[in-house]
Amino acid sequence: MGVDNLKNIESGRVVVTDAAVVTALGNNLDALWQGLMAGESAIRPINRFPVDQGHYKAKIAAHIDDLKAVNDRSMLQHLLDRLFLEMGSVPSDSALITATIKAGADNLESFCRGKQANFQDVLLSSIADIVGAKLGLISNGICVSASCASSTIAVAHGAALIESGRTEAVLVCCGDLITEYAFSGFSALKALSPFPCRPFDRDRKGLSLGEGAAALLLMNADRARRENRNRLGTILGWGITNDATHITAPAKNGRGLVQAVDQALKTAKRKPEDIAAISAHGTGTVYNDLMELNAFRQVFSERKMPLYSIKGAIGHTLGAAGAIEVTLGLKALLSQVIPPTVGFSNPENGAEGQVSPESHPVSGDYLLTTNSGFGGVNAALILGK
Amino acid sequence: MAGINITGIGWVTAVGMGCGRDYETFAMPWGPLPDINPSDMFKKPYPNFRRMDEYSRLGLTAIAFALIDAGLSEWTRERNIGIIASTVYGCLGTDVDYYKTVIPDRGSNASPALFSYTLANSYLGEAAIRFGLTGTNYVITEQHPPGLAGLQTALDHIIRGDVEKILSGISDVGCPEVFGEPSKVPPGAVFLMLEKSPAREISSYGKLCLDPKGRVIYNGSEIYDFTTLVQKCLAGARYA
């Protein structure tokens, strides 16, 4: 197919027909949704590795208590096993797009300590290996690695593949773990909050780490209809940009995120006024949250857009954050209610009237979800009912 | 013929480094990589370059050479140019180096500088900053490399109009010794500059497109790996 042919393809609808999530608030979407709506937080004292010697800036994280490393496999294997207990049938001709930033980093730690561990789990391609084998998918998978926007981009890439007509179904699967490796790094960068993170709160002190996994089955609308698949929602638009400003800090003026949202709206053929609510990255770090408020103000002007972050409840799940937030965003759209921002009480300048510690009814057909990360990456998706 | 022009090539391999237009052949053999001197690619001082990990320096250098070869290394305004890079091992060596700073005293000496480079896409952010590239950029790892998933993805982005231009390449420094596994791919990096219709005077190494099944077609023939593609580009340039 040449350039002109692809250019002429009409935008089709990419339907999300099935989804599963595992987070520290539970092993499925219902548990996560109910926990969130009740204002619960899974962020608590960490017991996976020693944190009590005062070397780290925090002693808490949203970890999944009973996650196990069996034999020499990473805990990632157990996490993904649990994830697919909740997932319906996946067509064997589905393309596989995975996302992670550190895959089985627990096994990397074992190697560095001279212990026996499975090497394949350390590689970024490990999720594709595990899921491809588990589901018997025909084609090889790929892994998208773009820091904390990895799975957002994986969803965008999957939707684009379906819209281009090259495939009818795409399984997006992502996961990341809490390890001493990641915990120590964010501590060294002074990014960890000593208390459960408080996104968009004036008194926020940083992020809390979380862990989790998500799987979404994207399908061409015609095929979804033909196969009588569920319809959880649609992926309508996407935008991916780079700040070109700093490796670990966001551009204060939010220009990269503004461009990503503009691109996503353009792809979705929607206007800012069509958007009912925003699922923000909302890490609880001083600079990320300020940047996002700045960017959203530029896109939506003075309109007080309902805005929420789920990281005060399940922590920052790194490469898995985007897809978990897409799954919840679709649930919010269907329910016409957005979850509370757990941990939020004292609004940062500009967050007044937008962010709430309570769940909030919304009215509309489209939701914007965004993630940004190290390396200056920004990604935005427009979700539809 | 409709297609995407290859307007620049840059690489670092065991047999040398530089721009496509300075060479007649290309190879990516096994062997130690050459020392990289940042003043070969960057006109202005770049003190951060020496602070980066080996994986970042390698990829950034190949990107710089590809931009130089395409006449796009100089800039005054940021550009909607993207980067899609493929890798097998990514920054695994940096990951090991970083975690070795954590082990001795339970994290009290963990290096924030090293941790900043423990993402496979960190060097793409460095390239974006250095060259003003605000387009989409991320890293792709294939389940069974070496393949062309990254190049396919880059072509998708430029064909769809997400970016004006896009760099696509591969970069690997090998598998760290601690894992006791042989590397699946030779060390090195090579990047291509892809453009629809260059507005400046620049020759093309040839044209790429995707067929309906997503296969990568170079000047009418299917290609299967990066090395062969670059060799064909240079051979085509020689006889053009």
Side-chain angles (χ1 to χ4, degrees), chain B residues 85-161:
Chain B
S86 293
T87 187
V88 177
Y89 301 105
C91 55
L92 212 46
T94 319
D95 294 349
V96 171
D97 291 343
Y98 165 72
Y99 195 62
K100 285 182 175 172
T101 71
V102 175
I103 292 172
D105 201 10
R106 294 247 69 120
S108 61
N109 295 315
S111 166
L114 268 178
F115 187 69
S116 302
Y117 291 102
T118 59
L119 290 167
N121 64 305
S122 290
Y123 78 98
L124 304 186
E126 291 283 2
I129 296 166
R130 193 67 191 177
F131 294 107
L133 314 178
T134 59
T136 179
N137 80 33
Y138 53 96
V139 166
I140 279 187
T141 304
E142 292 182 71
Q143 195 179 349
H144 294 293
L148 293 170
L151 183 56
Q152 289 167 326
T153 305
L155 288 167
D156 274 335
H157 278 297
I158 193 167
I159 289 168
R160 239 183 1 249

Side-chain angles (χ1 to χ4, degrees), chain A residues 98-131:
Chain A
T98 67
T100 184
I101 65 170
K102 277 296 138 212
D106 50 341
N107 275 19
L108 181 136
E109 292 178 356
S110 295
F111 273 105
C112 290
R113 291 179 181 279
K115 296 177 186 167
Q116 181 102 8
N118 180 296
F119 171 64
Q120 294 305 319
D121 289 350
V122 175
L123 296 173
L124 292 171
S125 56
S126 58
I127 296 181
D129 287 338
I130 294 168
V131 174

